[in-house]
Amino acid sequence: MAVVAVAGCTAIDDPAAPQASDAKPSASRSAGVPGGEAADTGTLPGVPTAGQARAELAELKVAPHDSMSGYSRDKFSHWAEQGENCNTRETVLERDGADVTRDDECRAVSGRWVSVYDGKMFTDASDLDIDHMVPLANGWRSGANTWTQEERKAFANDLTHPQLLAVSAASNRSKGDQGPDEWKPPSQAYWCTYARAWVSVKSDYELSVTEAEKDALTDMLGTCPS
């Protein structure tokens, strides 16, 4: 498995409501809505081109899902500390938002976020979840069941590859642990970026794909501009 130098996370835990009187402004971010390869991929890091994604997809191991036996989200650790009182969740919220203000405990108390999965805008961070592009349970079924705890922690908190993004809680919970053959973002404009990111994460972590998953990713990459 590829080694990634990041801390550890997993759960969809909304922070407690912070006190606005303690708020401090953070750097302003641009929360764009990606729409195809030529469009801005927003703040999601490490998204390959469609051509690169197709090449990576062709090299992925194709295999049925492994068993869920032994799986637990706790085996992937939960939101890790990222310094300055911040954890992975708050780091992604600040990265993916615009005009984000945080309190002394690093909790986002104001800002603007666009959920790229469904195109909805939010001004309350508690309405957002941090989605794992490749869900933890999907990762477990496609190879992470053989990893060490530290490797799973890195996967769950990866801020370097396109694995974590702030989206509406409704869209994230609709997705659950489903692959692209079972669930796709409601916004078809995001399918190109979604497929490129999904393939990239699977490739970087040397995870397998099912036949149905590969077919769906191929179709979604077909929506990218030629």
Side-chain angles (χ1 to χ4, degrees):
M1 150 200 159
V3 177
V4 182
V6 264
C9 104
T10 129
I12 306 169
D13 296 328
D14 288 327
Q19 297 300 314
S21 59
D22 297 328
K24 296 180 179 179
S26 67
S28 176
R29 305 286 177 163
S30 174
V33 181
E37 184 169 13
D40 181 13
T41 56
T43 56
L44 196 61
V47 180
T49 66
Q52 291 169 333
R54 290 187 185 99
E56 291 175 350
L57 180 58
E59 296 297 319
L60 291 179
K61 176 184 176 181
V62 178
H65 279 313
D66 288 338
S67 168
M68 283 292 286
S69 177
Y71 170 75
S72 168
R73 288 183 71 86
D74 292 340
K75 292 186 177 180
F76 288 81
S77 233
H78 285 66
W79 301 133
E81 293 300 318
Q82 299 291 347
E84 300 182 351
N85 294 324
C86 296
N87 61 23
T88 304
R89 173 188 165 87
E90 295 300 339
T91 300
V92 176
L93 283 172
E94 197 275 339
R95 183 199 72 191
D96 289 358
D99 301 321
V100 178
T101 299
R102 305 193 291 198
D103 66 13
D104 286 338
E105 296 183 18
C106 196
R107 295 174 299 191
V109 297
S110 65
R112 292 179 290 110
W113 294 267
V114 174
S115 170
V116 291
Y117 286 173
D118 48 20
K120 296 179 180 178
M121 179 170 288
F122 298 90
T123 56
D124 187 340
S126 66
D127 292 328
L128 301 164
D129 283 348
I130 306 305
D131 180 50
H132 292 92
M133 175 61 64
V134 174
L136 305 182
N138 184 288
W140 178 270
R141 295 193 298 267
S142 56
N145 57 334
T146 66
W147 297 352
T148 65
Q149 289 294 94
E150 283 304 307
E151 288 171 334
R152 288 193 283 263
K153 182 179 180 180
F155 178 71
N157 293 272
D158 190 346
L159 296 170
T160 304
H161 299 92
Q163 169 66 340
L164 298 172
L165 66 166
V167 297
S168 68
S171 65
N172 184 44
R173 295 169 195 187
S174 172
K175 172 182 174 179
D177 66 355
Q178 300 176 94
D181 53 311
E182 303 164 303
W183 185 91
K184 296 177 179 63
S187 174
Q188 294 189 25
Y190 199 65
W191 285 9
C192 172
T193 300
Y194 190 84
R196 288 154 55 201
W198 184 286
V199 170
S200 179
V201 173
K202 285 267 172 147
S203 178
D204 288 330
Y205 284 93
E206 299 177 6
L207 296 170
S208 64
V209 292
T210 66
E211 286 282 5
E213 182 181 348
K214 184 174 182 178
D215 289 345
L217 289 166
T218 300
D219 290 343
M220 292 174 78
L221 288 172
T223 67
C224 298
S226 56

